[in-house]
PDB file of all heavy atoms in Angstrom:
ATOM      1  N   MET G 473     -56.914  22.545-264.971  1.00 97.00           N
ATOM      2  CA  MET G 473     -58.296  21.956-265.464  1.00 97.00           C
ATOM      3  C   MET G 473     -58.166  20.407-265.459  1.00 97.00           C
ATOM      4  O   MET G 473     -59.272  19.826-265.265  1.00 97.00           O
ATOM      5  CB  MET G 473     -58.575  22.604-266.797  1.00 97.00           C
ATOM      6  CG  MET G 473     -57.753  22.115-267.953  1.00 97.00           C
ATOM      7  SD  MET G 473     -58.365  23.026-269.492  1.00 97.00           S
ATOM      8  CE  MET G 473     -57.380  22.267-270.764  1.00 97.00           C
ATOM      9  N   LEU G 474     -57.095  19.776-265.706  1.00 97.00           N
ATOM     10  CA  LEU G 474     -57.035  18.341-265.716  1.00 97.00           C
ATOM     11  C   LEU G 474     -57.122  17.859-264.267  1.00 97.00           C
ATOM     12  O   LEU G 474     -57.693  16.817-264.137  1.00 97.00           O
ATOM     13  CB  LEU G 474     -55.645  17.925-266.360  1.00 97.00           C
ATOM     14  CG  LEU G 474     -55.561  18.195-267.839  1.00 97.00           C
ATOM     15  CD1 LEU G 474     -54.183  17.687-268.419  1.00 97.00           C
ATOM     16  CD2 LEU G 474     -56.729  17.555-268.694  1.00 97.00           C
ATOM     17  N   LEU G 475     -56.612  18.556-263.333  1.00 97.00           N
ATOM     18  CA  LEU G 475     -56.805  18.068-261.932  1.00 97.00           C
ATOM     19  C   LEU G 475     -58.321  18.247-261.602  1.00 97.00           C
ATOM     20  O   LEU G 475     -59.009  17.488-260.940  1.00 97.00           O
ATOM     21  CB  LEU G 475     -56.054  19.015-260.999  1.00 97.00           C
ATOM     22  CG  LEU G 475     -54.597  18.690-260.880  1.00 97.00           C
ATOM     23  CD1 LEU G 475     -53.918  19.629-259.977  1.00 97.00           C
ATOM     24  CD2 LEU G 475     -54.252  17.321-260.447  1.00 97.00           C
ATOM     25  N   ALA G 476     -59.078  19.436-262.085  1.00 97.00           N
ATOM     26  CA  ALA G 476     -60.449  19.516-261.866  1.00 97.00           C
ATOM     27  C   ALA G 476     -61.177  18.434-262.586  1.00 97.00           C
ATOM     28  O   ALA G 476     -62.176  18.005-262.035  1.00 97.00           O
ATOM     29  CB  ALA G 476     -60.801  20.883-262.381  1.00 97.00           C
ATOM     30  N   LYS G 477     -60.757  18.088-263.748  1.00 97.00           N
ATOM     31  CA  LYS G 477     -61.518  16.904-264.484  1.00 97.00           C
ATOM     32  C   LYS G 477     -61.474  15.739-263.591  1.00 97.00           C
ATOM     33  O   LYS G 477     -62.574  14.982-263.585  1.00 97.00           O
ATOM     34  CB  LYS G 477     -60.792  16.745-265.801  1.00 97.00           C
ATOM     35  CG  LYS G 477     -61.449  15.557-266.568  1.00 97.00           C
ATOM     36  CD  LYS G 477     -60.629  15.219-267.867  1.00 97.00           C
ATOM     37  CE  LYS G 477     -61.119  13.994-268.569  1.00 97.00           C
ATOM     38  NZ  LYS G 477     -60.283  13.720-269.856  1.00 97.00           N
ATOM     39  N   LYS G 478     -60.271  15.346-262.996  1.00 97.00           N
ATOM     40  CA  LYS G 478     -60.236  14.177-262.165  1.00 97.00           C
ATOM     41  C   LYS G 478     -61.144  14.349-260.912  1.00 97.00           C
ATOM     42  O   LYS G 478     -61.898  13.386-260.511  1.00 97.00           O
ATOM     43  CB  LYS G 478     -58.888  14.026-261.646  1.00 97.00           C
ATOM     44  CG  LYS G 478     -57.904  13.715-262.687  1.00 97.00           C
ATOM     45  CD  LYS G 478     -56.456  13.462-262.104  1.00 97.00           C
ATOM     46  CE  LYS G 478     -55.458  12.961-263.236  1.00 97.00           C
ATOM     47  NZ  LYS G 478     -54.146  12.956-262.729  1.00 97.00           N
ATOM     48  N   ARG G 479     -61.274  15.509-260.247  1.00 96.00           N
ATOM     49  CA  ARG G 479     -62.248  15.773-259.177  1.00 96.00           C
ATOM     50  C   ARG G 479     -63.672  15.578-259.634  1.00 96.00           C
ATOM     51  O   ARG G 479     -64.541  14.976-258.851  1.00 96.00           O
ATOM     52  CB  ARG G 479     -62.156  17.170-258.614  1.00 96.00           C
ATOM     53  CG  ARG G 479     -60.710  17.544-257.885  1.00 96.00           C
ATOM     54  CD  ARG G 479     -60.830  18.656-256.969  1.00 96.00           C
ATOM     55  NE  ARG G 479     -61.086  19.866-257.786  1.00 96.00           N
ATOM     56  CZ  ARG G 479     -60.263  20.640-258.369  1.00 96.00           C
ATOM     57  NH1 ARG G 479     -58.922  20.323-258.272  1.00 96.00           N
ATOM     58  NH2 ARG G 479     -60.643  21.795-258.950  1.00 96.00           N
ATOM     59  N   ALA G 480     -64.064  16.099-260.817  1.00 96.00           N
ATOM     60  CA  ALA G 480     -65.375  15.888-261.330  1.00 96.00           C
ATOM     61  C   ALA G 480     -65.710  14.345-261.519  1.00 96.00           C
ATOM     62  O   ALA G 480     -66.720  13.887-261.180  1.00 96.00           O
ATOM     63  CB  ALA G 480     -65.511  16.572-262.677  1.00 96.00           C
ATOM     64  N   ALA G 481     -64.729  13.647-262.107  1.00 97.00           N
ATOM     65  CA  ALA G 481     -64.875  12.143-262.292  1.00 97.00           C
ATOM     66  C   ALA G 481     -65.067  11.472-261.026  1.00 97.00           C
ATOM     67  O   ALA G 481     -65.885  10.540-260.846  1.00 97.00           O
ATOM     68  CB  ALA G 481     -63.773  11.544-263.114  1.00 97.00           C
ATOM     69  N   LYS G 482     -64.175  11.807-259.969  1.00 97.00           N
ATOM     70  CA  LYS G 482     -64.388  11.226-258.623  1.00 97.00           C
ATOM     71  C   LYS G 482     -65.788  11.397-258.088  1.00 97.00           C
ATOM     72  O   LYS G 482     -66.320  10.602-257.371  1.00 97.00           O
ATOM     73  CB  LYS G 482     -63.258  11.699-257.757  1.00 97.00           C
ATOM     74  CG  LYS G 482     -63.079  10.943-256.485  1.00 97.00           C
ATOM     75  CD  LYS G 482     -61.959  11.472-255.717  1.00 97.00           C
ATOM     76  CE  LYS G 482     -61.756  10.628-254.403  1.00 97.00           C
ATOM     77  NZ  LYS G 482     -60.548  11.151-253.664  1.00 97.00           N
ATOM     78  N   ALA G 483     -66.270  12.690-258.293  1.00 95.00           N
ATOM     79  CA  ALA G 483     -67.545  13.088-257.770  1.00 95.00           C
ATOM     80  C   ALA G 483     -68.667  12.588-258.668  1.00 95.00           C
ATOM     81  O   ALA G 483     -69.895  12.874-258.344  1.00 95.00           O
ATOM     82  CB  ALA G 483     -67.665  14.607-257.567  1.00 95.00           C
ATOM     83  N   ASP G 484     -68.371  11.900-259.717  1.00 97.00           N
ATOM     84  CA  ASP G 484     -69.410  11.396-260.701  1.00 97.00           C
ATOM     85  C   ASP G 484     -70.217  12.547-261.354  1.00 97.00           C
ATOM     86  O   ASP G 484     -71.469  12.519-261.366  1.00 97.00           O
ATOM     87  CB  ASP G 484     -70.401  10.412-260.030  1.00 97.00           C
ATOM     88  CG  ASP G 484     -71.204   9.579-261.048  1.00 97.00           C
ATOM     89  OD1 ASP G 484     -70.644   9.428-262.258  1.00 97.00           O
ATOM     90  OD2 ASP G 484     -72.260   9.125-260.763  1.00 97.00           O
ATOM     91  N   MET G 485     -69.481  13.534-261.694  1.00 96.00           N
ATOM     92  CA  MET G 485     -70.124  14.761-262.349  1.00 96.00           C
ATOM     93  C   MET G 485     -69.587  15.006-263.719  1.00 96.00           C
ATOM     94  O   MET G 485     -68.480  14.508-264.068  1.00 96.00           O
ATOM     95  CB  MET G 485     -69.767  16.068-261.509  1.00 96.00           C
ATOM     96  CG  MET G 485     -70.173  16.008-260.010  1.00 96.00           C
ATOM     97  SD  MET G 485     -69.868  17.507-259.113  1.00 96.00           S
ATOM     98  CE  MET G 485     -71.016  18.595-259.879  1.00 96.00           C
ATOM     99  N   LYS G 486     -70.461  15.658-264.698  1.00 96.00           N
ATOM    100  CA  LYS G 486     -69.942  16.082-265.836  1.00 96.00           C
ATOM    101  C   LYS G 486     -68.899  17.117-265.627  1.00 96.00           C
ATOM    102  O   LYS G 486     -68.861  17.792-264.582  1.00 96.00           O
ATOM    103  CB  LYS G 486     -71.074  16.585-266.744  1.00 96.00           C
ATOM    104  CG  LYS G 486     -72.244  15.672-267.030  1.00 96.00           C
ATOM    105  CD  LYS G 486     -73.262  16.327-267.801  1.00 96.00           C
ATOM    106  CE  LYS G 486     -74.659  15.601-267.965  1.00 96.00           C
ATOM    107  NZ  LYS G 486     -75.354  15.675-266.660  1.00 96.00           N
ATOM    108  N   PHE G 487     -68.054  17.376-266.736  1.00 97.00           N
ATOM    109  CA  PHE G 487     -66.982  18.434-266.515  1.00 97.00           C
ATOM    110  C   PHE G 487     -66.884  19.312-267.728  1.00 97.00           C
ATOM    111  O   PHE G 487     -67.154  18.914-268.836  1.00 97.00           O
ATOM    112  CB  PHE G 487     -65.670  17.725-266.278  1.00 97.00           C
ATOM    113  CG  PHE G 487     -64.509  18.704-266.199  1.00 97.00           C
ATOM    114  CD1 PHE G 487     -64.519  19.597-265.059  1.00 97.00           C
ATOM    115  CD2 PHE G 487     -63.549  18.853-267.174  1.00 97.00           C
ATOM    116  CE1 PHE G 487     -63.411  20.526-264.901  1.00 97.00           C
ATOM    117  CE2 PHE G 487     -62.551  19.792-266.971  1.00 97.00           C
ATOM    118  CZ  PHE G 487     -62.404  20.628-265.870  1.00 97.00           C
ATOM    119  N   ALA G 488     -66.771  20.594-267.440  1.00 97.00           N
ATOM    120  CA  ALA G 488     -66.733  21.657-268.508  1.00 97.00           C
ATOM    121  C   ALA G 488     -65.723  22.713-268.280  1.00 97.00           C
ATOM    122  O   ALA G 488     -65.292  22.833-266.968  1.00 97.00           O
ATOM    123  CB  ALA G 488     -68.100  22.253-268.856  1.00 97.00           C
ATOM    124  N   VAL G 489     -65.274  23.447-269.140  1.00 97.00           N
ATOM    125  CA  VAL G 489     -64.228  24.546-268.986  1.00 97.00           C
ATOM    126  C   VAL G 489     -64.845  25.760-269.711  1.00 97.00           C
ATOM    127  O   VAL G 489     -65.150  25.877-270.771  1.00 97.00           O
ATOM    128  CB  VAL G 489     -62.873  24.055-269.671  1.00 97.00           C
ATOM    129  CG1 VAL G 489     -61.938  25.245-269.487  1.00 97.00           C
ATOM    130  CG2 VAL G 489     -62.448  22.800-269.098  1.00 97.00           C
ATOM    131  N   ARG G 490     -64.807  26.897-268.901  1.00 97.00           N
ATOM    132  CA  ARG G 490     -65.091  28.221-269.392  1.00 97.00           C
ATOM    133  C   ARG G 490     -63.931  29.034-269.167  1.00 97.00           C
ATOM    134  O   ARG G 490     -63.551  29.447-267.936  1.00 97.00           O
ATOM    135  CB  ARG G 490     -66.400  28.798-268.630  1.00 97.00           C
ATOM    136  CG  ARG G 490     -66.799  30.104-269.283  1.00 97.00           C
ATOM    137  CD  ARG G 490     -67.989  30.647-268.712  1.00 97.00           C
ATOM    138  NE  ARG G 490     -68.211  32.076-269.026  1.00 97.00           N
ATOM    139  CZ  ARG G 490     -69.090  32.926-268.346  1.00 97.00           C
ATOM    140  NH1 ARG G 490     -69.816  32.419-267.451  1.00 97.00           N
ATOM    141  NH2 ARG G 490     -69.137  34.104-268.692  1.00 97.00           N
ATOM    142  N   LEU G 491     -63.095  29.418-270.058  1.00 97.00           N
ATOM    143  CA  LEU G 491     -61.889  30.192-269.982  1.00 97.00           C
ATOM    144  C   LEU G 491     -62.138  31.749-269.986  1.00 97.00           C
ATOM    145  O   LEU G 491     -61.278  32.449-269.665  1.00 97.00           O
ATOM    146  CB  LEU G 491     -60.912  29.806-271.074  1.00 97.00           C
ATOM    147  CG  LEU G 491     -60.436  28.337-271.088  1.00 97.00           C
ATOM    148  CD1 LEU G 491     -59.552  28.040-272.339  1.00 97.00           C
ATOM    149  CD2 LEU G 491     -59.713  27.991-269.803  1.00 97.00           C
TER     150      LEU G 491
END
Side-chain angles (χ1 to χ4, degrees):
M473 74 182 186
L474 292 177
L475 287 177
K477 178 186 176 184
K478 290 180 180 178
R479 291 198 300 272
K482 188 174 182 179
D484 196 26
M485 301 181 72
K486 304 181 189 75
F487 179 67
V489 178
R490 182 179 170 190
L491 298 176

